[in-house]
Amino acid sequence: MTPHDPSPHDQRLEDLLANLGTDATMGLAQPEAEKRLRQFGPNQLTAHKRLSEWIRFLLQFHQPLIYILLAATGITVALGEWVDASVIFGVVFINAIIGYLQEAKAEKAIDALAKMVITEATVRRGGEKLRIPSARLVPGDVVLLQSGDRVPADLRLLHQRNLQIEEAALTGESVPVEKQTAPLPTDAILAERTNLAFTGTLVTYGQGEGVVFATADQTEMGRIAGLIGTAENLQTPLTRKIARFSRLLLYVILGLAAVTFIVGLARGESWVEMFMAAVALAVGAIPEGLPAALTITLAIGVARMARRRAIIRKLPAVETLGSTTVICSDKTGTLTQNQMTVQEIHAGGRLYHVTGSGYEAEGKIHFEQAPVIIGENVALIETLGAGLLCNDSRLVRNDEGRTVVQGDPTEAALIVAAQKAGLSEEEMSGRLPRLEVIPFESEYQYMATLHGADREPKMIYIKGAVEALLERCAHALSEEGDRAPLDKALVLRNAEAMAARGLRVLAFARREMPSGQRDLEHEHVAAELTFLGLQGKLDPPRPEAIAAVAKCRAAGIRVKMITGDHALTAKAIAVQIGLGSGAEVVALAGRDLEALTDEELADAADRASVFARVAPEQKLRLVKALQSRGHIVAMTGDGVNDAPALKQADIGVAMGITGTDVSKEAADMVLTDDNFASIEAAVEEGRGVFDNLTKFIVWTLPTNFGEGLVILAAIFAGATLPILPVQILWINMTTAILLGLMLVFEPKESEIMSRPPRDPKTPILTGWLQFRILLVALVLLAGCFTLFAWEQRRGASVAEARTVAVNLFVMVELFYLFNCRSFTRSMFAIGLFSNPWVIFGSLAMIALQLLFTYLPAMNALFHSAPIDLDAWWRIVAVAAFAHLVVGVEKTIANRMKRSPR
């Protein structure tokens, strides 16, 4: 026995059954099944082990900047500075808790989403038909399938009768696949293996039997789950930039501390005092508020996305969407509605267009853009009536009030088209009740139904493939309802033109039942049929997806459609959703991709907009190929087949309603409304998050840099320190909370979606922003020493002079905060009160500084002292000067047309 054969689709059934050691009629004996269960294990996918809660919490500390702060905590503890150490570690600890709670909350939300669970299967064992838990299936079991069943394991079909299986979650095929039992070529791709039934897919029509050849991880779904395990866990652009920035900051801080220590020793100072001064410089230069600002900024982005029906599983994923350069989207159910809709009808020599989409009967039938008066074209009414009567599906309302299909989506489209013409299924079935049926079979490529009351003659309605019906038709029905000559070549040309527009075409015909005949047989529809017309169906694009694609393209983001559908259909949808005109849209099929090297694939992936008939491994290769060209890739999808690429992508976006459990687990973000339009909203939120985070960094670094320069300059000059380490800590922590964090609430700038995506290689701080940081730091350095010396010359104490220096730092930060609200525009251009949190934070900071300056307890704790009103005027003057200098620099940058971003 050789179960788990990778290619059973090309074997003869006798050979496969012999290899599996089973019998098609009797199935496995119960003892043999139990033996195989012990040998192969239960039919369940291996669960991916999640990290323990403690490990997930500790990983929140796994960041270079956190390492710096932890080192600062350890050093301050060693120096006996318990207050300083407690404050620094408190910031680190709170940051870790926020990150951990957000990830835990997202995991619970994902777990709460509906899972695809298979509970029982019908098998034949020892000649008896049994219902067993699907987990107990083994290779060699014979499984019975019927409409409504989920396939419990990978099967090679033994028998089938009109069997159709919905495989969109696995192959991307948007309509049920008609199954057969004959061997297929070895090189048949997954979507073309019509003699197989795959785990987790849904039987929509007919019955069948199949032998299990793969269970658990060896199934197609299990193999894809294994591909997810091989996809790399990539860093996001934000984590990469923050890591590089933190390492650079670490080197700068350590370098300055070392210079301070060496210079002090060279000047003859005590090595202990110089070591403490170096530590003070290091602690002062560390932006303690940055980790908290990063986490809170991303958490606010998560909250905004949640209001827009998205669940973020990892905090940095919010920003990643803002850096996205390419979105690879699954077609079925994501860009399209996953609701087949009749869009064109050819009847009585006229081409009609049908408006509306989905399963709601909202829309009209038009001829040359004018609404049709129903009844003017008898052939049209008969074509629609045939689609309504020759039909085994139903439309019903679910508990949520939505119209859903019971049966084949293709047949549901015919019902809706008839309803748009005012035809009633109840009325027509009452007038022409069904008496007999010939179900659709692949061999004949048609379905026929017999209708009529007690009176004669009864009527046969037939629908099926165009070629299959045309060869049986002798004449056509005219617009007036008379028999007319049938131009078969013209009908074929019309059908081909419809297919070229991406439509799936069905033909319709009728015939009176020969007198005296009761039972409907194939011979009754073999000839002398009257051709009625054609109906062309398409899974239409979501209207909101069309708008979202347009916005993404305007924002410089390229959208690529990856689907298991045929290239012609996929290209037609691509044109409709706005990926380009017919000539602009380049479509490649899975077979084309197989022969390409990785380098050739990278070129093809960059050039093409549509990838059709794509296997799961090829989706993974496509994402990797785009990433090799430096793209930040977002991948959206809902099927099992999307999962490996979802994980490999810089950000994976799964669908919450139609998405499989596997795809949700692989994704970074889950859209709870399955709406592609939410992607555009996510991109906008991501760009806003990155903007606000950059604004915080540009705002906070001049203070840290300025503090470091002040201490370094004092050591070099052998002068008294203008600010003490505990005062530095006060400045850093209070301003970060009351001023800096107010920037995370800054509204998104109006032109945010008219910019091209950020170059992934661009650092967080561009040259202009680095210059601005240095400029403000130098203003702080000069202002601090100037006012410190001024106060001492006026006879002020060292404590009073230091209090002036501390207030100078705070007031410069406060005025500079209004510069940082926009990189290119003034605070008046964006609206002084457009972010009320900035006003609130500024007033609170002023109140806190008054307490710092005049409250005796604060004077004792932070070595401050009351200062007079004249000192405040000098402080405000320097702060206003700093604000003016940055405003001039911003104007110069704009005129040079070099955006600081």
Side-chain angles (χ1 to χ4, degrees):
M1 181 187 68
T2 57
H4 304 155
D5 193 311
S7 59
H9 62 280
D10 62 354
Q11 297 183 34
R12 295 189 310 129
L13 286 175
E14 308 87 78
D15 296 338
L16 180 62
L17 291 169
N19 288 339
L20 291 170
T22 190
D23 181 88
T25 305
M26 301 296 291
L28 292 175
Q30 193 63 33
E32 177 63 19
E34 295 295 334
K35 176 183 174 183
R36 294 188 185 189
L37 184 62
R38 291 190 295 273
Q39 178 182 355
F40 298 109
N43 178 32
Q44 295 173 333
L45 295 181
T46 302
H48 293 285
K49 289 186 178 179
R50 287 185 177 176
L51 297 174
S52 69
E53 301 297 316
W54 276 108
I55 295 297
R56 284 170 56 193
F57 178 70
L58 291 176
L59 284 175
Q60 305 300 320
F61 296 90
H62 186 48
Q63 303 174 40
L65 200 58
I66 298 297
Y67 294 155
I68 299 173
L69 292 175
L70 290 175
T73 302
I75 294 171
T76 49
V77 167
L79 294 175
E81 300 290 343
W82 296 103
V83 175
D84 295 3
S86 299
V87 172
I88 297 172
F89 184 73
V91 171
V92 174
F93 192 71
I94 291 171
N95 175 71
I97 289 175
I98 292 172
Y100 167 77
L101 290 177
Q102 176 58 40
E103 288 190 14
K105 180 181 177 182
E107 290 291 347
K108 288 180 181 177
I110 295 298
D111 290 340
L113 292 171
K115 294 184 177 181
M116 187 162 48
V117 178
I118 301 170
T119 53
E120 289 188 328
T122 304
V123 299
R124 187 177 288 118
R125 284 185 177 173
E128 295 184 10
K129 193 159 66 171
L130 306 171
R131 290 284 287 176
I132 65 170
S134 60
R136 300 186 66 82
L137 285 175
V138 296
D141 263 327
V142 174
V143 175
L144 284 67
L145 300 173
Q146 61 182 0
S147 180
D149 287 348
R150 282 203 180 272
V151 180
D154 282 4
L155 312 175
R156 169 65 190 276
L157 295 173
L158 303 172
H159 309 290
Q160 66 87 24
R161 179 171 175 79
N162 310 318
L163 184 64
Q164 297 180 24
I165 298 181
E166 169 64 68
E167 296 181 348
L170 188 66
T171 65
E173 182 70 47
S174 58
V175 295
V177 177
E178 298 166 13
K179 294 297 182 177
Q180 53 92 34
T181 58
L184 294 167
T186 304
D187 63 352
I189 63 174
L190 191 68
E192 295 173 354
R193 296 178 187 177
T194 53
N195 58 4
L196 303 183
F198 300 106
T199 304
T201 56
L202 179 67
V203 179
T204 61
Y205 193 82
Q207 300 86 35
E209 292 185 19
V211 59
V212 176
F213 66 86
T215 59
D217 293 341
Q218 302 300 319
T219 62
E220 198 63 36
M221 182 185 288
R223 190 173 62 82
I224 292 172
L227 286 175
I228 299 172
T230 65
E232 303 171 22
N233 277 315
L234 299 179
Q235 284 187 305
T236 71
L238 179 63
T239 55
R240 285 194 291 261
K241 289 183 173 75
I242 290 293
R244 284 197 298 269
F245 174 71
S246 299
R247 285 193 295 271
L248 175 63
L249 193 61
L250 174 62
Y251 299 147
V252 170
I253 290 171
L254 294 179
L256 288 175
V259 169
T260 301
F261 184 73
I262 293 169
V263 168
L265 288 181
R267 293 178 57 85
E269 303 287 348
S270 163
W271 73 268
V272 175
E273 291 183 4
M274 287 303 96
F275 182 75
M276 293 180 68
V279 169
L281 184 146
V283 172
I286 294 170
E288 290 90 349
L290 182 55
L294 171 61
T295 303
I296 292 171
T297 302
L298 294 177
I300 288 172
V302 167
R304 288 173 177 169
M305 288 307 299
R307 289 194 292 270
R308 294 191 171 194
R309 300 183 178 277
I311 296 172
I312 302 296
R313 302 188 67 209
K314 298 287 183 181
L315 281 178
V318 181
E319 181 276 333
T320 310
L321 271 169
S323 302
T324 297
T325 58
V326 174
I327 297 177
C328 295
S329 177
D330 181 49
K331 178 183 76 71
T332 304
T334 306
L335 289 168
T336 64
Q337 300 178 28
N338 201 17
Q339 296 183 346
M340 292 298 289
T341 306
V342 173
Q343 295 202 329
E344 294 183 8
I345 304 171
H346 220 296
R350 293 188 175 191
L351 176 62
Y352 298 90
H353 294 276
V354 185
T355 62
S357 61
Y359 297 140
E360 302 294 340
E362 296 174 358
K364 300 291 183 181
I365 299 175
H366 289 256
F367 175 68
E368 294 182 348
Q369 301 183 343
V372 171
I373 298 174
I374 302 303
E376 286 187 349
N377 187 335
V378 177
L380 172 63
I381 294 298
E382 281 293 289
T383 300
L384 291 167
L388 187 62
L389 293 170
C390 189
N391 200 310
D392 282 332
S393 297
R394 294 178 59 217
L395 295 174
V396 296
R397 293 274 180 183
N398 63 10
D399 295 337
E400 299 172 356
R402 295 171 58 236
T403 302
V404 295
V405 181
Q406 287 185 349
D408 187 342
T410 297
E411 290 192 327
L414 303 177
I415 297 174
V416 175
Q419 290 175 345
K420 289 176 181 177
L423 301 184
S424 165
E425 184 179 6
E426 184 178 352
E427 187 274 330
M428 290 199 71
S429 297
R431 183 164 48 87
L432 293 170
R434 181 188 291 190
L435 305 175
E436 294 278 345
V437 61
I438 299 176
F440 183 91
E441 296 183 27
S442 301
E443 179 183 354
Y444 294 101
Q445 292 290 305
Y446 62 76
M447 172 186 177
T449 52
L450 176 63
H451 298 266
D454 296 332
R455 62 180 178 81
E456 298 285 347
K458 297 178 174 59
M459 187 66 72
I460 305 171
Y461 286 103
I462 311 99
K463 75 166 186 281
V466 178
E467 294 83 355
L469 258 65
L470 274 182
E471 67 184 21
R472 292 169 167 80
C473 290
H475 28 70
L477 190 68
S478 72
E479 189 174 354
E480 294 77 20
D482 303 321
R483 284 189 179 183
L486 174 62
D487 188 339
K488 294 185 178 181
L490 178 60
V491 172
L492 284 173
R493 285 198 300 273
N494 291 334
E496 288 168 0
M498 293 169 76
R501 294 190 285 273
L503 301 176
R504 298 173 183 268
V505 185
L506 276 180
F508 298 84
R510 75 179 188 187
R511 182 191 179 187
E512 291 183 358
M513 183 72 166
S515 180
Q517 300 290 322
R518 287 183 173 273
D519 298 327
L520 182 61
E521 302 290 347
H522 286 290
E523 64 186 62
H524 297 138
V525 293
E528 294 302 316
L529 301 183
T530 300
F531 177 77
L532 300 175
L534 306 171
Q535 293 195 50
K537 304 171 298 302
L538 187 71
D539 181 11
R542 294 174 178 263
E544 60 271 28
I546 297 173
V549 167
K551 289 181 180 179
C552 286
R553 295 187 73 187
I557 299 165
R558 299 165 65 184
V559 180
K560 297 180 184 292
M561 187 169 74
I562 303 177
T563 178
D565 235 333
H566 292 280
L568 202 60
T569 302
K571 189 170 180 178
I573 289 290
V575 172
Q576 289 188 32
I577 64 173
L579 294 188
S581 65
E584 292 174 344
V585 175
V586 177
L588 292 176
R591 290 187 184 278
D592 303 325
L593 303 180
E594 284 179 355
L596 300 179
T597 64
D598 288 345
E599 183 61 30
E600 290 170 337
L601 181 62
D603 289 333
D606 217 19
R607 187 178 70 257
S609 303
V610 175
F611 302 92
R613 309 298 277 180
V614 173
E617 300 92 333
Q618 291 173 329
K619 291 190 177 188
L620 193 58
R621 279 190 73 203
L622 282 170
V623 172
K624 287 181 177 180
L626 289 166
Q627 288 171 334
S628 72
R629 290 299 172 91
H631 287 295
I632 300 298
V633 181
M635 169 74 184
T636 74
D638 57 0
V640 177
N641 61 331
D642 299 320
L646 285 175
K647 187 174 181 184
Q648 175 65 34
D650 294 276
I651 179 166
V653 185
M655 302 296 119
I657 299 173
T658 59
T660 60
D661 190 48
V662 177
S663 67
K664 293 167 192 169
E665 286 294 330
D668 300 290
M669 184 170 84
V670 180
L671 300 182
T672 59
D673 60 354
D674 287 14
N675 196 335
F676 182 85
S678 298
I679 301 300
E680 184 274 330
V683 170
E684 186 176 336
E685 289 295 341
R687 291 186 174 192
V689 163
F690 194 88
D691 265 12
N692 290 349
L693 183 61
T694 307
K695 290 171 185 176
F696 178 88
I697 293 173
V698 172
W699 170 84
T700 193
L701 286 188
T703 303
N704 300 107
F705 195 21
E707 290 164 346
L709 288 176
V710 165
I711 292 176
L712 196 62
I715 297 298
F716 269 71
T720 304
L721 287 179
I723 45 178
L724 296 173
V726 69
Q727 293 171 339
I728 289 174
L729 198 61
W730 167 264
I731 295 169
N732 290 355
M733 294 308 301
T734 56
T735 57
I737 294 170
L738 292 178
L739 298 181
L741 286 182
M742 300 305 106
L743 286 172
V744 307
F745 300 104
E746 192 66 31
K748 295 180 290 291
E749 296 190 40
S750 58
E751 88 295 350
I752 198 168
M753 287 303 289
S754 60
R755 311 177 200 151
R758 285 179 59 90
D759 185 343
K761 299 184 180 66
T762 302
I764 293 178
L765 301 177
T766 60
W768 276 104
L769 294 182
Q770 292 173 26
F771 174 75
R772 187 176 297 176
I773 290 168
L774 178 61
L775 184 65
V776 177
L778 291 175
V779 170
L780 283 168
L781 172 65
C784 179
F785 270 102
T786 300
L787 292 192
F788 185 78
W790 184 298
E791 294 302 319
Q792 286 193 310
R793 283 197 301 271
R794 291 180 64 248
S797 66
V798 172
E800 290 172 336
R802 282 175 173 159
T803 302
V804 169
V806 170
N807 279 300
L808 171 73
F809 264 88
V810 172
M811 293 306 294
V812 169
E813 285 191 83
L814 191 152
F815 275 67
Y816 179 50
L817 179 71
F818 288 88
N819 291 117
C820 291
R821 291 188 58 200
S822 173
F823 288 121
T824 56
R825 295 187 294 165
S826 72
M827 62 181 179
F828 300 105
I830 63 174
L832 185 60
F833 300 101
S834 59
N835 182 2
W837 288 99
V838 169
I839 305 298
F840 168 78
S842 299
L843 294 175
M845 191 70 242
I846 291 171
L848 209 55
Q849 280 309 111
L850 292 174
L851 294 176
F852 172 88
T853 305
Y854 297 109
L855 191 67
M858 299 289 276
N859 297 155
L861 187 60
F862 291 100
H863 311 290
S864 59
I867 58 176
D868 57 29
L869 185 60
D870 287 344
W872 282 109
W873 284 117
R874 289 187 287 274
I875 291 168
V876 172
V878 174
F881 173 74
H883 179 83
L884 181 63
V885 166
V886 175
V888 171
E889 180 269 339
K890 193 185 291 186
T891 302
I892 294 172
N894 288 339
R895 286 180 178 175
M896 295 179 69
K897 296 183 179 179
R898 292 182 179 178
S899 171
R901 291 191 188 85

